Amino acid sequence: MTDVGRHPKIKLMVSSEVTDVKGYVGNFTVKVHKTARYVDEKECNACGECAKECPVSVPDEFNGGFGTRKAVYQPFPQAIPSAFLIDKKNCLGINPIVCAKCVPKCEKKCINLDVYDEDHTFQVGTIVVATGMDVYDPAVLDEYGYTRFENVITSLEFERLISAGGPTMGHLVRPTDHKLPRRVAFIQCVGSRSVKRGNPYCSNVCCMNTVKDTLLIKDHWPEVECKVFYIDIRAFGKGFEDLFKRSKAAGIAYVRGLPGQVQEDPNSKNLILTVENTETGKVEQHEADMVVLSVGVEPRRDSAVVRQLLTLSKTPDGFLMEAHPKLQPVDAPTRGVFFAGCAEAPKDIKDSVTQASAAAARASILMSKGVLSIEAVTARVHPDKCKMCGLCAPVCPYHAIEFEKGKKKPAFIIEAACGGCGTCAAECPFGAIEARHFEDDQIFAQIEAMLAERPEESAVVFACNWCSYAGADLAGVSRLQYPPGVRLIRTMCSGRVAEKFILHAFKLGAPLVLVSGCHFADCHYINANRWTQKRVEKLWDKMEKAGIRPERLQLEWISAAEAQKFAAVMTDVDKMRRQVTQAEIAQTRKILEEKPKL
Amino acid sequence: MTTSEPRIGVYVCHCGLNIAGSVDCAAVTEFARLLKDVVVASDNKYTCSGPGQEIIKKEIAEHKLNRVVVASCSPRLHEPTFRAAVAEAGLNPYLLEMANLREHCSWVHMGEPKQATEKAKKLVAMAVARARFLKPQEELHVSVTRRALVIGGGVAGIQASLDLANTGYDVVLVEKQASIGGLMAQLDKTYPTMDCSI
């Protein structure tokens, strides 16, 4: 940690948040909001005289609320930057100045209440997302009594209790009487591996953390009796099984079964655990002085923020989705963005460090080249075909189209800024915009080939590259079966799907057309799929007026992680396809032959 | 190179039994051979293998192919592989088209070999039709700013920042809390070494 603070190449911004990310791989513009610290980070020598004077006392969040801190404080003794700060929310004197008792106490004159939050802008080439995880809150699991019994604590609170830097200076005491507990019970999988409550996945770290905790107790207080209640112990890593065996050899009792209930003896404040021991098949009662809930790991509750800033997706467990679960586990689907640590999945320290080094290496590969090529799927305007109507400019999510009304100059696309969604090409009524590699004639050719013979057997499915096409890929990898009467046409974004493609398909006898793309928050092109929706809604109206059943045009948002949804939608689409009669198809063809644009 | 008068080569991959298990690859190849502008079509156990790619490269020269269709897996997986192969044979990489016979056909219609084969033919026909209109494209080259942003100062963010900084890049490390260290800093000792977290 100290290396980060003093490294000449690292600009450390604490109490800060990224508020905006613009640009693309190699050329991101990032805005960072830094909350005022009120104490000069460089000058403060953390002597602590200011805190002695501060009249405010609040629970110390670093110590799990077991101790207190002042409004001017250092988060913990080894904090980096090694300096105090004022917590604006609890300080009495920032605005208006009513207290300010700490200010004169600082000999170095580090405290200045007349400072403000700052906004900084940086140009960066790559981004590493290391936003970490949250810890499961066991308050909802009422049977364990976490909110009712003081001597039931979480494993993270236990860490603070036995830490020499913690509120008890490392003396293990239980909350009610501040005495050494003689019997400590650990309950595993709290908030993990349960479909009903908490999370269905294994949190990865809790088994070994408990094994470690039992050994720490035995090392310091050999007389304390420990019992661990578990489903199974997952000691799969290097050196883990050894540690588990050491714990058993040290006399720790491992009881296979999770307690159904924890009750408190009102006099002794001891806890009684009722558990079915699955090794004996008997219901047992165990008494303990203190219960530690081995809580699981969760995706960060604010992870939507980083997902929206960087157009990332999440897997069904809520953690960030990687570009490929096996071959690109460190890369985000957004080029130039990489994952490190628990943001991607629950990990212990070793795995977090490993992935972080991998993320640094992946980012270095991009930066060491200095130059990279952008896939040739960007759009271009044919100036001779452009009628200067200006419809294209407002639909561009990147503001990459230069057009001024009345200037009599054709629209111009700044290629480096173009993301390649093709929405402008779909919007242009004159075919003046070429979406490279996803051109009109190429897509028409695919539609025609699909519907050349027996068109009633094919449902036309437009799928965006990043979400629904990838969801289809995952359905394949997962071997999810669905009927074969659906054929996909890939576009980079659902925004590329022009009205004329859909009408052309109907004209050729398509029984059903599905346009599928990313969920709004996941759109790889900021918000291009909002135009998809507008376009489809407009077409539904037109179809209805012309006498074509709007239900024959479907719209679905399917993420890259939603393989099951993809398979379910395909099954529905195929069912709907079968319900369209030959007569209905013939009628539609007739309508479109008379009025091709409806 | 002229892009008019398409001369298309179609390469149908078995992917071992991944595709060939439910799709009759020989039948698909026969079908492809009769499609408009297709000059040559063949099937191969593993088109992505070295020898598989060599066949494509050899036939681009031999048959003066100016479009290549590989009917195998998802372009999200192997498009870079086959683009590189056709580029090595002197063809613009954007003159490659793929038909996804594995993820979108053989793996999702495992119990219906007849219908899966019919669908595979359709997917190949669509790919060939599209290929006829493909144009060579030039990629845009952009410079890369040699500075990295690391969001989050827990153990992962710290390690990533140090590695990047020690490689010589400037790093901006943004942490929401008032100190770096994250959750790790709250742990007393850590497994499997039983040493301090900080």
Side-chain angles (χ1 to χ4, degrees):
Chain A
M1 279 173 60
T2 51
D3 291 346
V4 171
R6 61 172 170 245
H7 202 296
K9 286 269 184 194
I10 300 178
K11 178 165 180 61
L12 175 59
M13 300 198 60
V14 293
S15 308
S16 300
E17 284 185 68
V18 177
T19 53
D20 189 40
V21 179
K22 287 240 153 58
Y24 50 93
V25 55
N27 300 275
F28 295 106
T29 304
V30 178
K31 286 196 180 135
V32 178
H33 181 82
K34 186 173 166 65
T35 308
R37 188 179 185 98
Y38 304 102
V39 180
D40 190 324
E41 202 173 295
K42 291 198 180 79
E43 288 298 313
C44 172
N45 60 3
C47 69
E49 289 301 318
C50 52
K52 284 182 192 161
E53 200 62 26
C54 179
V56 180
S57 200
V58 292
D60 179 358
E61 50 278 77
F62 184 79
N63 279 324
F66 278 139
T68 58
R69 64 162 174 86
K70 298 301 183 71
V72 54
Y73 72 110
Q74 191 179 21
F76 54 97
Q78 306 96 319
I80 300 290
S82 183
F84 276 57
L85 75 148
I86 290 178
D87 149 21
K88 189 157 79 176
K89 210 173 81 197
N90 291 300
C91 172
L92 301 174
I94 283 168
N95 188 19
I97 296 178
V98 290
C99 171
K101 283 184 177 163
C102 53
V103 178
K105 281 288 157 186
C106 181
E107 278 182 15
K108 298 189 77 186
K109 311 244 173 293
C110 298
I111 306 178
N112 179 5
L113 298 179
D114 194 22
V115 290
Y116 299 93
D117 291 4
E118 296 165 13
D119 286 299
H120 297 257
T121 303
F122 300 99
Q123 301 294 327
V124 301
T126 55
I127 298 174
V128 175
V129 178
T131 43
M133 37 74 157
D134 271 326
V135 174
Y136 179 74
D137 178 0
V140 289
L141 295 176
D142 194 52
E143 62 269 35
Y144 292 154
Y146 176 66
T147 53
R148 291 177 287 134
F149 312 137
E150 271 189 78
N151 289 331
V152 177
I153 64 170
T154 70
S155 42
L156 202 63
E157 289 161 354
F158 179 83
E159 289 293 334
R160 301 316 305 151
L161 273 186
I162 53 164
S163 170
T168 59
M169 316 282 210
H171 296 289
L172 178 61
V173 296
R174 68 173 192 166
T176 48
D177 53 13
H178 291 226
K179 284 187 185 148
L180 179 71
R182 289 173 302 112
R183 294 160 301 180
V184 180
F186 290 86
I187 302 178
Q188 293 307 110
C189 295
V190 176
S192 307
R193 300 179 66 190
S194 166
V195 231
K196 284 188 193 139
R197 284 197 288 172
N199 298 299
Y201 53 83
C202 167
S203 287
N204 184 314
V205 296
C206 338
C207 281
M208 288 313 296
N209 192 61
T210 291
V211 168
K212 173 207 77 182
D213 287 343
T214 61
L215 281 166
L216 287 180
I217 292 177
K218 279 291 172 190
D219 284 351
H220 291 90
W221 305 279
E223 70 278 21
V224 173
E225 195 185 289
C226 293
K227 284 181 185 167
V228 178
F229 298 89
Y230 70 103
I231 305 175
D232 48 46
I233 293 291
R234 298 191 162 174
F236 52 86
K238 189 174 182 178
F240 292 7
E241 186 69 15
D242 282 350
L243 218 59
F244 176 43
K245 280 186 180 150
R246 255 177 69 194
S247 168
K248 287 212 274 196
I252 311 300
Y254 282 83
V255 181
R256 203 180 75 187
L258 293 183
Q261 193 179 39
V262 175
Q263 287 163 300
E264 187 187 58
D265 178 335
N267 299 319
S268 65
K269 301 289 179 192
N270 287 347
L271 303 149
I272 294 113
L273 291 74
T274 309
V275 57
E276 184 198 347
N277 184 332
T278 59
E279 277 176 340
T280 62
K282 292 200 175 99
V283 174
E284 302 170 353
Q285 289 207 319
H286 296 260
E287 192 170 336
D289 300 6
M290 185 162 90
V291 169
V292 180
L293 303 178
S294 190
V295 284
V297 165
E298 288 192 315
R300 278 195 67 95
R301 280 159 211 132
D302 60 0
S303 81
V305 177
V306 76
R307 272 192 281 122
Q308 272 163 25
L309 285 173
L310 299 170
T311 55
L312 305 173
S313 307
K314 56 179 182 177
T315 37
D317 56 16
F319 291 95
L320 297 177
M321 196 183 68
E322 58 280 56
H324 190 282
K326 206 168 57 188
L327 303 173
Q328 289 170 281
V330 179
D331 302 2
T334 305
R335 212 170 158 206
V337 180
F338 305 93
F339 296 139
C342 293
E344 181 259 326
K347 284 182 192 66
D348 63 9
I349 292 176
K350 178 185 166 180
D351 285 353
S352 293
V353 167
T354 307
Q355 197 187 25
S357 288
R362 299 287 290 170
S364 299
I365 291 168
L366 271 183
M367 292 192 288
S368 73
K369 281 189 188 156
V371 174
L372 58 89
S373 52
I374 301 232
E375 208 180 352
V377 293
T378 47
R380 283 176 185 165
V381 178
H382 288 290
D384 50 321
K385 289 189 195 163
C386 177
K387 300 261 193 275
M388 292 168 260
C389 68
L391 283 176
C392 53
V395 306
C396 177
Y398 301 92
H399 308 295
I401 305 181
E402 287 180 344
F403 178 78
E404 275 183 72
K405 244 195 157 80
K407 275 271 168 85
K408 297 211 167 168
K409 248 174 82 182
F412 177 77
I413 297 172
I414 307 158
E415 204 174 321
C418 170
C421 64
T423 303
C424 55
E427 209 63 22
C428 177
F430 310 106
I433 299 181
E434 173 185 332
R436 288 198 294 156
H437 208 52
F438 291 91
E439 290 176 39
D440 287 357
D441 51 6
Q442 295 163 354
I443 295 171
F444 279 130
Q446 282 171 287
I447 298 169
E448 284 159 14
M450 188 199 301
L451 302 170
E453 293 155 32
R454 300 185 304 279
E456 67 281 0
E457 290 178 9
S458 297
V460 184
V461 177
F462 291 98
C464 80
N465 180 61
W466 304 101
C467 287
S468 34
Y469 193 93
D473 280 359
L474 188 60
V477 173
S478 315
R479 310 296 198 276
L480 300 175
Q481 305 295 298
Y482 54 83
V486 289
R487 289 100 174 78
L488 267 64
I489 293 176
R490 181 173 70 121
T491 54
M492 293 311 282
C493 175
S494 60
R496 174 68 187 101
V497 183
E499 189 181 291
K500 59 188 171 191
F501 300 153
I502 300 168
L503 291 177
H504 194 59
F506 282 131
K507 197 176 155 191
L508 294 177
L512 200 110
V513 176
L514 167 71
V515 178
S516 62
C518 308
H519 294 278
F520 281 161
D522 297 347
C523 179
H524 217 75
Y525 302 97
I526 305 174
N527 56 8
N529 58 358
R530 304 241 173 208
W531 296 101
T532 313
Q533 183 169 32
K534 279 188 191 167
R535 201 176 296 134
V536 169
E537 282 173 352
K538 212 169 105 189
L539 194 50
W540 277 333
D541 279 351
K542 282 168 111 180
M543 286 168 72
E544 186 148 32
K545 279 179 195 147
I548 304 171
R549 255 192 325 130
E551 293 76 34
R552 287 172 60 200
L553 171 60
Q554 292 284 316
L555 177 66
E556 285 284 353
W557 309 125
I558 307 169
S559 84
E562 291 175 326
Q564 289 187 334
K565 180 173 180 187
F566 182 86
V569 168
M570 289 308 114
T571 307
D572 288 348
V573 160
D574 192 63
K575 208 169 136 194
M576 287 187 265
R577 170 186 74 83
R578 287 165 186 278
Q579 285 163 357
V580 181
T581 61
Q582 290 282 9
E584 192 178 356
I585 290 173
Q587 168 75 4
T588 305
R589 295 177 85 149
K590 199 166 151 257
I591 293 170
L592 282 163
E593 264 156 33
E594 281 165 15
K595 208 177 165 195
K597 288 183 179 175
L598 290 186
Chain B
M1 187 209 62
T2 173
T3 54
S4 56
E5 296 161 40
R7 295 180 62 79
I8 306 174
V10 179
Y11 300 90
V12 180
C13 178
H14 293 215
C15 194
L17 282 175
N18 283 308
I19 294 170
S22 34
V23 168
D24 181 346
C25 293
V28 173
T29 309
E30 283 310 310
F31 169 83
R33 202 168 280 143
L34 301 174
L35 291 169
K36 194 180 169 202
D37 295 329
V38 172
V39 178
V40 58
S42 61
D43 55 330
N44 195 304
K45 198 159 188 179
Y46 292 104
T47 309
C48 65
S49 67
Q53 294 184 48
E54 280 310 314
I55 295 173
I56 298 175
K57 289 199 269 184
K58 198 177 94 210
E59 294 192 347
I60 287 173
E62 245 177 54
H63 297 277
K64 296 193 173 53
L65 302 180
N66 56 19
R67 305 285 192 286
V68 168
V69 170
V70 177
S72 58
C73 49
S74 173
R76 290 172 54 84
L77 186 71
H78 268 317
E79 192 174 65
T81 312
F82 295 116
R83 275 188 176 174
V86 301
E88 281 171 21
L91 210 58
N92 182 288
Y94 286 81
L95 297 173
L96 165 87
E97 178 58 18
M98 289 181 76
N100 189 343
L101 300 194
R102 193 178 73 171
E103 283 84 344
H104 292 189
C105 190
S106 65
W107 273 350
V108 290
H109 313 306
M110 293 175 87
E112 302 161 285
K114 209 169 149 234
Q115 280 174 296
T117 303
E118 286 312 303
K119 178 171 173 179
K121 287 180 187 170
K122 207 67 147 174
L123 295 178
V124 170
M126 287 164 64
V128 168
R130 175 174 150 83
R132 295 174 57 232
F133 290 93
L134 290 177
K135 287 187 204 158
Q137 302 288 356
E138 294 308 319
E139 294 188 339
L140 182 74
H141 296 280
V142 296
S143 61
V144 179
T145 308
R146 291 170 190 261
R147 185 186 295 114
L149 167 73
V150 177
I151 311 175
V155 59
I158 289 171
Q159 184 69 43
S161 299
L162 287 172
D163 284 0
L164 284 162
N166 287 332
T167 312
Y169 299 109
D170 289 319
V171 176
V172 180
L173 172 54
V174 176
E175 166 57 49
K176 202 174 189 174
Q177 302 298 325
S179 169
I180 56 168
L183 231 107
M184 173 200 68
Q186 284 179 283
L187 304 177
D188 176 44
K189 301 284 188 294
T190 58
Y191 69 81
T193 48
M194 308 295 281
D195 54 356
C196 294
S197 68
I198 301 181

